[in-house]
Amino acid sequence: MPVVPANQPQLIRSSQKDEYYQNNLTNNANELFHTFAGSKRWFQWRKEIELLSDLTYYVLTTSSGDYQTLGEEYVSIIQVDPSKRRIPSRMRRTALIVCHTIVPYLLDKVLICIENELEAEAPQTSRTWRPLSHVRLWIQRAVGMLTESQRKALIPLVFALQQGITLLYRLHVALFYITGAFYHIGKRTAGVSYLRVGNVAGDDPRISNSYRLLGALSLLQLGITLTLQFNNLRQRQRRSIQSCQSSSRSSRCVLCLEERRNTSSTPCGHLFCWECITEWCNTKARLLYNKFQPHRLVFLRNYN
């Protein structure tokens, strides 16, 4: 029997059908948990409920003796290992489930926890047990060893990593449109691909060309997004440098060209060191085009 790989429309329809059943299972689990545990506990555990629902779905389909999810059965495709001749082993299917469900959950949780700890002014303590509590405590200890400047420098890096993961998913989908293989990163990691069952007729070249065009447009859009984000980052860095320079210049006394000490104000609103401006007034008769006496100077106490 000829071996014909599954095409893009079949893989997309299969994924959409699986998401439909997963959402139904997750919604029922959320409703049940919310009824018995209440809104507060449900909000705390909603991510874990979604994870357990997805695990249940894939264990009952992919990991069981059926070797097919409901979406794969709907479009008549089967999983195969890299040899294209055998059904994936149990270990490979387990790796697929872990990469497809548990790894994204852990990555999202850890990055959010790191971001919250870096932005928190004081360590956040909680007496109630929460998901990944031990990981949270380890992150708190690690962040507590950092200085304030190091924490501020790491916040943009965490944000960039979160954005990078999103862009990686978009890049992977664009490559799928072009090549027609591995719709999900977890399946690429586990080396699980698909073959058609029953209908092995050749694909319409127009369909493949349409998906390749869609992939090329997706790559173009991704490149534009990266360019815009890079330009925005450079503009923010430039504004930050300019604000630091302007604040540094504004805190200098124009008479001694050093940081102001005992800041004082003239009647026209300009700021100087008290010693500099009083000495200037005693030796000069005119300053800033306004004549005034030293007793009109205002000493700004506790001014930063």
Side-chain angles (χ1 to χ4, degrees):
M1 184 179 70
V3 177
V4 179
N7 56 23
Q8 294 97 323
Q10 289 175 319
L11 295 176
I12 293 175
R13 284 198 299 268
S14 171
S15 178
Q16 291 174 342
K17 201 68 174 179
D18 285 332
E19 289 178 1
Y20 170 78
Y21 290 115
Q22 287 175 252
N23 289 335
N24 284 339
L25 183 60
T26 301
N27 291 337
N28 292 332
N30 281 329
E31 184 177 355
L32 184 64
F33 191 89
H34 186 275
T35 301
F36 287 97
S39 301
K40 183 178 180 180
R41 289 294 179 88
W42 170 81
F43 186 80
Q44 177 182 346
W45 290 88
R46 67 192 188 283
K47 292 291 186 180
E48 287 67 31
I49 296 173
E50 181 180 358
L51 172 64
L52 290 177
S53 300
D54 292 342
L55 283 175
T56 301
Y57 178 79
Y58 284 110
V59 167
L60 293 177
T61 55
T62 299
S63 185
S64 67
D66 295 334
Y67 304 114
Q68 280 181 304
T69 65
L70 297 178
E72 294 164 2
E73 185 177 358
Y74 176 75
V75 297
S76 299
I77 59 177
I78 59 172
Q79 301 177 3
V80 291
D81 62 9
S83 69
K84 309 290 186 182
R85 298 289 181 179
R86 295 187 299 271
I87 298 295
S89 64
R90 181 174 296 274
M91 182 176 297
R92 189 179 294 275
R93 283 179 280 136
T94 302
L96 168 62
I97 296 174
V98 171
C99 294
H100 195 58
T101 58
I102 298 178
V103 171
Y105 164 80
L106 292 176
L107 195 58
D108 179 66
K109 278 287 186 179
V110 170
L111 289 178
I112 291 177
C113 183
I114 293 175
E115 183 181 14
N116 292 337
E117 292 299 328
L118 289 174
E119 293 178 349
E121 296 181 357
Q124 301 177 356
T125 58
S126 176
R127 296 182 179 180
T128 59
W129 190 88
R130 292 178 177 271
L132 300 179
S133 295
H134 297 292
V135 177
R136 186 184 302 272
L137 292 176
W138 181 83
I139 293 175
Q140 285 180 351
R141 288 194 294 267
V143 172
M145 300 172 61
L146 302 176
T147 62
E148 186 67 22
S149 59
Q150 290 174 334
R151 294 172 65 175
K152 290 182 178 180
L154 284 177
I155 291 176
L157 294 179
V158 175
F159 176 77
L161 182 57
Q162 292 172 329
Q163 296 297 314
I165 293 174
T166 302
L167 295 175
L168 177 62
Y169 282 123
R170 293 175 57 182
L171 174 62
H172 188 270
V173 172
L175 294 178
F176 162 76
Y177 289 149
I178 296 174
T179 62
F182 302 114
Y183 187 43
H184 299 99
I185 294 180
K187 293 175 182 177
R188 182 183 294 274
T189 304
V192 175
S193 55
Y194 291 92
L195 297 179
R196 305 184 203 180
V197 177
N199 183 17
V200 294
D203 294 332
D204 187 347
R206 293 175 297 180
I207 297 178
S208 300
N209 292 335
S210 298
Y211 275 97
R212 291 192 185 97
L213 177 61
L214 179 60
L217 293 176
S218 299
L219 289 177
L220 178 62
Q221 182 186 26
L222 183 60
I224 295 174
T225 301
L226 287 173
T227 303
L228 292 176
Q229 290 187 355
F230 181 73
N231 289 335
N232 290 335
L233 177 61
R234 291 184 59 183
Q235 290 177 1
R236 285 197 299 267
Q237 291 178 342
R238 190 180 298 112
R239 285 196 297 266
S240 177
I241 294 174
Q242 290 175 353
S243 62
C244 292
Q245 292 176 347
S246 62
S247 62
S248 176
R249 289 195 299 266
S250 63
S251 62
R252 291 178 180 272
C253 173
V254 298
L255 297 178
C256 64
L257 300 180
E258 295 180 358
E259 294 292 326
R260 285 195 306 268
R261 303 178 302 277
N262 301 324
T263 303
S264 304
S265 174
T266 62
C268 53
H270 293 84
L271 302 179
F272 304 90
C273 298
W274 172 260
E275 293 80 4
C276 297
I277 190 61
T278 52
E279 181 180 358
W280 184 281
C281 291
N282 291 328
T283 57
K284 302 292 182 180
R286 186 176 180 86
L287 176 67
L288 300 177
Y289 304 102
N290 289 317
K291 294 181 179 180
F292 58 88
Q293 299 297 324
H295 69 269
R296 297 186 61 188
L297 295 173
V298 178
F299 179 77
L300 303 179
R301 193 178 300 275
N302 297 326
Y303 179 84
N304 294 324

